[in-house]
Amino acid sequence: MRVTKEKVDIKMAIPGAVIRQRTDFGDVSGYGKISGEYFTLAKGVDTTPLFQGLEGNLCQCPHWGFVLRGELTTTDAAGKQETVRADDLFYWPPGHNVRVDADAEIIMFS
């Protein structure tokens, strides 16, 4: 399946973030259907308020991705931080929050 960025539906557009998502982008054994996502994020965006009320107040979805540009730092339930930068592949297991350290564009599969 090939999809251009402009054909991926915008699911959320708020100050500092545009989130595009194509659901049913594939099937991964054990997780079922996955989505392909393209995020454009401004420096300073922090996901912590978005996940208030979820287990540990953290995102509970696993993500696999690639950083096109920018820099992001994840924090897990134990407080461990990891920073990803342009040209990095990443995996964020369930139980994390993300802070954008430099304007970023990422592609994720969730």
Side-chain angles (χ1 to χ4, degrees), residues 88-106:
D88 285 349
L89 287 171
F90 63 85
Y91 168 64
W92 297 334
H96 64 273
N97 274 306
V98 179
R99 181 188 70 241
V100 181
D101 302 317
D103 291 353
E105 290 185 71
I106 62 173

Side-chain angles (χ1 to χ4, degrees), residues 12 14-15 17 44-59 73 75 96-100:
M12 183 185 304
I14 58 175
V45 168
D46 186 337
T47 65
T48 304
L50 296 174
F51 301 116
Q52 294 300 305
L54 296 182
E55 182 180 334
N57 297 320
L58 302 165
C59 177
T73 299
T75 304
H96 64 273
N97 274 306
V98 179
R99 181 188 70 241
V100 181

Side-chain angles (χ1 to χ4, degrees), residues 32-108:
K33 299 286 183 182
I34 63 170
S35 64
E37 303 155 350
Y38 190 105
F39 284 43
T40 303
L41 303 162
K43 178 181 178 176
V45 168
D46 186 337
T47 65
T48 304
L50 296 174
F51 301 116
Q52 294 300 305
L54 296 182
E55 182 180 334
N57 297 320
L58 302 165
C59 177
Q60 296 301 316
C61 183
H63 305 287
W64 295 261
F66 181 78
V67 182
L68 296 168
R69 68 178 179 94
E71 183 175 299
L72 305 94
T73 299
T74 55
T75 304
D76 69 14
K80 180 182 174 197
Q81 294 189 330
E82 180 177 64
T83 299
V84 294
R85 295 174 180 85
D87 298 327
D88 285 349
L89 287 171
F90 63 85
Y91 168 64
W92 297 334
H96 64 273
N97 274 306
V98 179
R99 181 188 70 241
V100 181
D101 302 317
D103 291 353
E105 290 185 71
I106 62 173
I107 295 172
M108 292 196 310

